[in-house]
Amino acid sequence: MTDTAFTEAARTVRDHGATAAIDCAIVLGTGLGGLADQLEDAIRIPYAAIPGFPAGGVSGHARQLCIGRLADKTVLIFQGRAHFYEGGDAAVMRVPLGMLQALGSPPLILTNAAGSLKPEMPPGSMAVITDHINFNGPNPLVGDGGDGRFVPMVDAYDPALRAGLGRAATAEGLSLGEGVYMWFSGPSFETPAEIRMAQVMGADLVGMSTVPEVILARRFEIKVAALSVVTNMGAGLHGGAPHHDETKDVASAAAIDLARLLRSFVREL
Ligand code: HPA
Protein backbone atom coordinates (compact mmCIF):
# COMPACT_ATOMS: atom_id res chain seq x y z
CA MET A 1 0.00 0.00 0.00
CA THR A 2 1.45 3.40 -0.96
CA ASP A 3 0.30 6.92 -0.35
CA THR A 4 1.88 10.19 -1.47
CA ALA A 5 1.97 11.34 2.18
CA PHE A 6 4.29 8.42 2.94
CA THR A 7 6.67 9.11 0.07
CA GLU A 8 6.70 12.84 0.86
CA ALA A 9 7.62 12.19 4.50
CA ALA A 10 10.33 9.76 3.34
CA ARG A 11 11.66 12.33 0.87
CA THR A 12 11.87 14.94 3.65
CA VAL A 13 13.94 12.53 5.73
CA ARG A 14 16.29 11.80 2.84
CA ASP A 15 16.56 15.54 2.06
CA HIS A 16 17.88 16.00 5.60
CA GLY A 17 20.77 13.70 4.67
CA ALA A 18 19.48 10.36 5.97
CA THR A 19 20.16 8.32 2.85
CA ALA A 20 21.65 5.08 4.28
CA ALA A 21 19.52 1.94 4.40
CA ILE A 22 17.82 1.67 7.79
CA ASP A 23 18.51 -1.55 9.70
CA CYS A 24 15.98 -1.02 12.49
CA ALA A 25 13.35 1.50 13.63
CA ILE A 26 12.41 2.12 17.25
CA VAL A 27 9.56 4.10 18.81
CA LEU A 28 10.54 5.42 22.25
CA GLY A 29 7.62 6.01 24.60
CA THR A 30 7.01 8.15 27.66
CA GLY A 31 10.22 8.93 29.54
CA LEU A 32 12.16 6.43 27.42
CA GLY A 33 13.77 8.84 24.95
CA GLY A 34 17.34 8.52 26.29
CA LEU A 35 18.51 5.97 23.72
CA ALA A 36 18.21 8.65 21.04
CA ASP A 37 21.12 10.50 22.72
CA GLN A 38 23.34 7.46 22.11
CA LEU A 39 23.06 7.64 18.33
CA GLU A 40 26.31 8.57 16.61
CA ASP A 41 26.37 10.98 13.65
CA ALA A 42 22.70 11.62 14.34
CA ILE A 43 20.39 13.59 12.09
CA ARG A 44 17.50 15.00 14.14
CA ILE A 45 14.31 16.24 12.52
CA PRO A 46 11.43 17.70 14.58
CA TYR A 47 8.12 16.04 13.72
CA ALA A 48 6.80 19.51 12.87
CA ALA A 49 9.23 19.61 9.91
CA ILE A 50 7.94 16.37 8.36
CA PRO A 51 4.71 16.64 6.34
CA GLY A 52 1.89 14.56 7.76
CA PHE A 53 3.60 13.89 11.09
CA PRO A 54 1.55 14.50 14.25
CA ALA A 55 2.18 17.82 15.97
CA GLY A 56 1.77 18.53 19.68
CA GLY A 57 3.30 16.70 22.61
CA VAL A 58 2.99 15.22 26.07
CA SER A 59 5.44 16.04 28.88
CA GLY A 60 8.04 13.30 28.84
CA HIS A 61 7.98 13.15 25.03
CA ALA A 62 10.45 15.15 22.90
CA ARG A 63 8.94 14.35 19.47
CA GLN A 64 11.64 14.26 16.91
CA LEU A 65 12.95 11.76 14.43
CA CYS A 66 16.57 10.74 15.02
CA ILE A 67 18.56 8.73 12.50
CA GLY A 68 22.09 7.65 13.25
CA ARG A 69 24.45 4.80 14.08
CA LEU A 70 24.00 2.48 17.05
CA ALA A 71 26.12 -0.65 17.56
CA ASP A 72 27.35 -0.36 13.95
CA LYS A 73 23.84 -0.31 12.51
CA THR A 74 21.75 2.49 11.04
CA VAL A 75 18.81 3.06 13.35
CA LEU A 76 15.82 5.35 13.00
CA ILE A 77 14.30 6.43 16.31
CA PHE A 78 10.90 8.00 16.72
CA GLN A 79 11.56 9.97 19.90
CA GLY A 80 7.99 10.28 21.18
CA ARG A 81 4.73 9.19 19.61
CA ALA A 82 1.26 10.62 19.21
CA HIS A 83 -1.51 8.92 21.18
CA PHE A 84 -5.17 8.25 20.53
CA TYR A 85 -6.09 10.29 23.61
CA GLU A 86 -4.70 13.49 22.11
CA GLY A 87 -7.43 13.84 19.50
CA GLY A 88 -9.36 10.60 19.28
CA ASP A 89 -7.66 9.45 16.06
CA ALA A 90 -6.57 5.80 16.15
CA ALA A 91 -4.64 6.38 12.89
CA VAL A 92 -2.60 9.30 14.24
CA MET A 93 0.65 7.36 13.61
CA ARG A 94 -0.34 6.35 10.06
CA VAL A 95 2.08 8.66 8.23
CA PRO A 96 5.11 7.87 10.42
CA LEU A 97 4.56 4.14 9.87
CA GLY A 98 3.72 4.58 6.20
CA MET A 99 6.95 6.54 5.87
CA LEU A 100 8.82 3.57 7.35
CA GLN A 101 7.38 1.40 4.62
CA ALA A 102 8.55 3.95 2.04
CA LEU A 103 12.02 3.79 3.64
CA GLY A 104 12.24 0.04 3.04
CA SER A 105 10.20 -1.52 5.87
CA PRO A 106 12.93 -2.05 8.46
CA PRO A 107 11.95 -4.12 11.51
CA LEU A 108 10.21 -1.96 14.12
CA ILE A 109 10.48 -2.14 17.91
CA LEU A 110 7.83 -0.20 19.83
CA THR A 111 8.37 0.72 23.47
CA ASN A 112 5.92 1.98 26.04
CA ALA A 113 5.40 2.68 29.71
CA ALA A 114 2.78 0.31 31.10
CA GLY A 115 0.95 -0.71 34.24
CA SER A 116 1.51 -4.31 35.36
CA LEU A 117 -1.14 -6.77 36.50
CA LYS A 118 1.42 -9.35 37.61
CA PRO A 119 3.44 -9.19 40.86
CA GLU A 120 6.33 -10.92 39.08
CA MET A 121 6.58 -7.89 36.76
CA PRO A 122 7.04 -5.07 39.30
CA PRO A 123 7.72 -1.39 38.59
CA GLY A 124 11.11 -0.96 36.93
CA SER A 125 10.93 -4.33 35.14
CA MET A 126 10.63 -4.88 31.39
CA ALA A 127 8.40 -7.20 29.39
CA VAL A 128 8.08 -8.24 25.77
CA ILE A 129 4.50 -8.07 24.50
CA THR A 130 3.25 -11.39 23.13
CA ASP A 131 -0.23 -10.30 22.01
CA HIS A 132 -2.78 -7.57 22.64
CA ILE A 133 -6.41 -6.87 23.42
CA ASN A 134 -7.86 -3.80 21.73
CA PHE A 135 -10.17 -3.00 24.62
CA ASN A 136 -10.34 0.67 23.58
CA GLY A 137 -12.03 -0.41 20.36
CA PRO A 138 -11.13 2.05 17.58
CA ASN A 139 -9.07 0.53 14.78
CA PRO A 140 -6.64 2.63 12.72
CA LEU A 141 -7.71 0.81 9.53
CA VAL A 142 -11.34 1.94 9.68
CA GLY A 143 -11.91 3.79 6.40
CA ASP A 144 -8.94 2.09 4.73
CA GLY A 145 -9.84 0.51 1.38
CA GLY A 146 -9.26 -2.80 -0.38
CA ASP A 147 -8.83 -6.32 0.89
CA GLY A 148 -5.48 -5.41 2.46
CA ARG A 149 -7.39 -3.87 5.37
CA PHE A 150 -8.32 -7.36 6.64
CA VAL A 151 -4.99 -7.75 8.34
CA PRO A 152 -4.21 -11.11 10.00
CA MET A 153 -3.18 -10.63 13.63
CA VAL A 154 -1.86 -14.08 14.56
CA ASP A 155 1.80 -13.60 15.52
CA ALA A 156 1.38 -9.86 14.95
CA TYR A 157 4.20 -9.46 17.47
CA ASP A 158 6.89 -11.07 15.35
CA PRO A 159 8.20 -14.29 16.95
CA ALA A 160 11.72 -13.90 15.50
CA LEU A 161 12.05 -10.31 16.75
CA ARG A 162 10.71 -11.38 20.14
CA ALA A 163 13.29 -14.16 20.30
CA GLY A 164 16.01 -11.64 19.42
CA LEU A 165 14.89 -9.38 22.25
CA GLY A 166 14.98 -12.36 24.62
CA ARG A 167 18.54 -13.23 23.54
CA ALA A 168 19.59 -9.59 24.01
CA ALA A 169 18.15 -9.58 27.54
CA THR A 170 20.03 -12.79 28.38
CA ALA A 171 23.25 -11.40 26.93
CA GLU A 172 22.91 -8.27 29.06
CA GLY A 173 21.89 -10.15 32.22
CA LEU A 174 18.54 -8.34 32.24
CA SER A 175 15.33 -10.06 33.19
CA LEU A 176 12.54 -9.76 30.65
CA GLY A 177 8.98 -10.76 31.41
CA GLU A 178 6.30 -11.31 28.80
CA GLY A 179 2.61 -10.74 28.55
CA VAL A 180 -0.58 -9.63 26.84
CA TYR A 181 -1.07 -5.85 26.60
CA MET A 182 -4.53 -4.35 26.89
CA TRP A 183 -5.11 -0.97 25.24
CA PHE A 184 -7.14 1.58 27.19
CA SER A 185 -7.82 4.95 25.59
CA GLY A 186 -6.57 7.09 28.48
CA PRO A 187 -5.77 9.79 29.27
CA SER A 188 -7.32 9.00 32.65
CA PHE A 189 -5.78 5.93 34.24
CA GLU A 190 -7.91 2.84 34.79
CA THR A 191 -10.15 2.37 37.79
CA PRO A 192 -9.47 -0.55 40.15
CA ALA A 193 -12.60 -2.25 38.75
CA GLU A 194 -11.27 -1.92 35.19
CA ILE A 195 -7.97 -3.45 36.29
CA ARG A 196 -9.78 -6.42 37.86
CA MET A 197 -11.71 -6.81 34.59
CA ALA A 198 -8.46 -6.70 32.58
CA GLN A 199 -7.04 -9.50 34.74
CA VAL A 200 -10.12 -11.67 34.17
CA MET A 201 -9.92 -11.00 30.42
CA GLY A 202 -6.35 -12.25 30.20
CA ALA A 203 -4.26 -9.09 30.22
CA ASP A 204 -0.88 -8.83 31.93
CA LEU A 205 -0.10 -5.20 31.08
CA VAL A 206 -2.21 -2.10 30.49
CA GLY A 207 -1.37 1.06 28.58
CA MET A 208 -2.50 3.86 26.30
CA SER A 209 -0.48 3.24 23.12
CA THR A 210 1.19 0.63 20.89
CA VAL A 211 -1.89 -1.34 19.74
CA PRO A 212 -2.83 1.00 16.84
CA GLU A 213 0.83 1.14 15.79
CA VAL A 214 1.08 -2.65 15.67
CA ILE A 215 -2.06 -2.83 13.52
CA LEU A 216 -0.68 -0.16 11.17
CA ALA A 217 2.71 -1.86 10.99
CA ARG A 218 1.09 -5.17 10.00
CA ARG A 219 -1.01 -3.34 7.39
CA PHE A 220 2.22 -1.98 5.93
CA GLU A 221 3.88 -5.43 6.18
CA ILE A 222 6.49 -4.16 8.62
CA LYS A 223 7.74 -6.75 11.13
CA VAL A 224 7.06 -5.42 14.61
CA ALA A 225 7.69 -6.26 18.26
CA ALA A 226 7.01 -4.27 21.42
CA LEU A 227 8.55 -3.83 24.85
CA SER A 228 6.85 -2.48 27.94
CA VAL A 229 8.67 -0.78 30.76
CA VAL A 230 6.55 -1.34 33.86
CA THR A 231 6.19 1.98 35.67
CA ASN A 232 3.52 0.97 38.19
CA MET A 233 1.16 -1.77 39.28
CA GLY A 234 -2.35 -1.45 37.83
CA ALA A 235 -4.74 0.77 39.76
CA GLY A 236 -5.95 -0.80 43.00
CA LEU A 237 -3.42 -3.67 42.97
CA HIS A 238 -0.91 -3.77 45.82
CA GLY A 239 0.97 -0.46 45.55
CA GLY A 240 -0.98 0.50 42.42
CA ALA A 241 -2.05 4.16 42.29
CA PRO A 242 -0.72 5.28 38.89
CA HIS A 243 0.22 8.89 38.33
CA HIS A 244 1.89 10.55 35.32
CA ASP A 245 4.81 11.88 37.40
CA GLU A 246 5.53 8.34 38.62
CA THR A 247 5.27 7.04 35.04
CA LYS A 248 7.88 9.54 33.87
CA ASP A 249 10.23 9.02 36.86
CA VAL A 250 10.20 5.22 36.80
CA ALA A 251 10.47 5.16 33.00
CA SER A 252 13.48 7.49 33.07
CA ALA A 253 15.27 5.20 35.55
CA ALA A 254 14.39 2.03 33.60
CA ALA A 255 15.35 3.70 30.30
CA ILE A 256 18.98 2.84 31.08
CA ASP A 257 18.19 -0.92 31.07
CA LEU A 258 16.00 -0.49 28.02
CA ALA A 259 18.82 1.25 26.15
CA ARG A 260 21.22 -1.62 27.00
CA LEU A 261 18.69 -4.17 25.83
CA LEU A 262 17.99 -2.39 22.55
CA ARG A 263 21.65 -1.71 21.79
CA SER A 264 22.42 -5.40 22.28
CA PHE A 265 19.41 -6.36 20.14
CA VAL A 266 20.42 -4.01 17.31
CA ARG A 267 24.01 -5.30 17.35
CA GLU A 268 22.81 -8.83 16.54
CA LEU A 269 20.47 -7.83 13.70
N1 HPA B 1 -2.29 2.42 32.83
C1 HPA B 1 -2.28 2.90 31.58
N2 HPA B 1 -1.21 3.40 31.02
C2 HPA B 1 -0.07 3.42 31.73
C3 HPA B 1 -0.01 2.93 33.03
C4 HPA B 1 -1.20 2.40 33.62
O1 HPA B 1 -1.22 1.94 34.77
N3 HPA B 1 1.26 3.11 33.46
C5 HPA B 1 1.94 3.67 32.43
N4 HPA B 1 1.14 3.87 31.38
Side-chain angles (χ1 to χ4, degrees):
M1 187 200 169
T2 52
D3 187 312
T4 52
F6 305 164
T7 47
E8 260 181 51
R11 188 180 325 117
T12 303
V13 168
R14 291 203 187 94
D15 287 349
H16 277 78
T19 51
I22 293 159
D23 298 308
C24 182
I26 300 171
V27 174
L28 295 177
T30 305
L32 301 173
L35 181 68
D37 299 333
Q38 296 184 21
L39 289 182
E40 290 155 33
D41 305 323
I43 294 164
R44 300 179 203 278
I45 315 169
Y47 287 1
I50 309 173
F53 264 50
V58 180
S59 64
H61 296 252
R63 291 228 175 146
Q64 57 180 355
L65 198 64
C66 308
I67 301 135
R69 300 285 292 170
L70 182 75
D72 286 328
K73 299 278 165 33
T74 298
V75 175
L76 179 152
I77 292 182
F78 295 93
Q79 198 176 13
R81 58 154 63 82
H83 302 81
F84 173 80
Y85 60 68
E86 291 167 56
D89 179 9
V92 65
M93 289 292 284
R94 185 168 177 277
V95 172
L97 294 185
M99 178 203 71
L100 259 197
Q101 185 195 43
L103 290 173
S105 299
L108 171 65
I109 307 297
L110 305 170
T111 67
N112 61 46
S116 170
L117 309 188
K118 292 278 168 69
E120 60 270 29
M121 295 193 289
S125 65
M126 295 187 289
V128 64
I129 298 179
T130 55
D131 200 351
H132 74 223
I133 300 172
N134 181 354
F135 179 73
N136 186 31
N139 190 296
L141 304 181
V142 168
D144 202 343
D147 282 356
R149 74 185 112 173
F150 302 111
V151 174
M153 293 297 287
V154 175
D155 283 339
Y157 295 78
D158 188 74
L161 292 179
R162 279 157 48 194
L165 290 166
R167 285 193 299 274
T170 305
E172 293 297 317
L174 294 164
S175 79
L176 186 64
E178 60 170 42
V180 173
Y181 178 93
M182 184 179 262
W183 181 36
F184 283 85
S185 81
S188 59
F189 285 100
E190 299 74 34
T191 64
E194 287 165 345
I195 291 297
R196 289 194 298 275
M197 174 206 69
Q199 287 180 308
V200 171
M201 289 177 137
D204 304 301
L205 300 153
V206 292
M208 306 178 194
S209 68
T210 303
V211 164
E213 293 148 49
V214 169
I215 296 169
L216 286 165
R218 294 313 299 136
R219 172 73 174 107
F220 299 143
E221 298 181 338
I222 295 167
K223 287 189 172 154
V224 62
L227 288 169
S228 285
V229 168
V230 173
T231 55
N232 55 276
M233 296 310 290
L237 301 181
H238 184 69
H243 190 281
H244 187 57
D245 290 339
E246 175 193 45
T247 299
K248 285 190 293 183
D249 290 349
V250 179
S252 299
I256 295 160
D257 285 348
L258 181 77
R260 273 176 58 205
L261 176 66
L262 288 173
R263 174 186 278 275
S264 178
F265 169 79
V266 165
R267 185 180 299 118
E268 298 304 321
L269 277 175

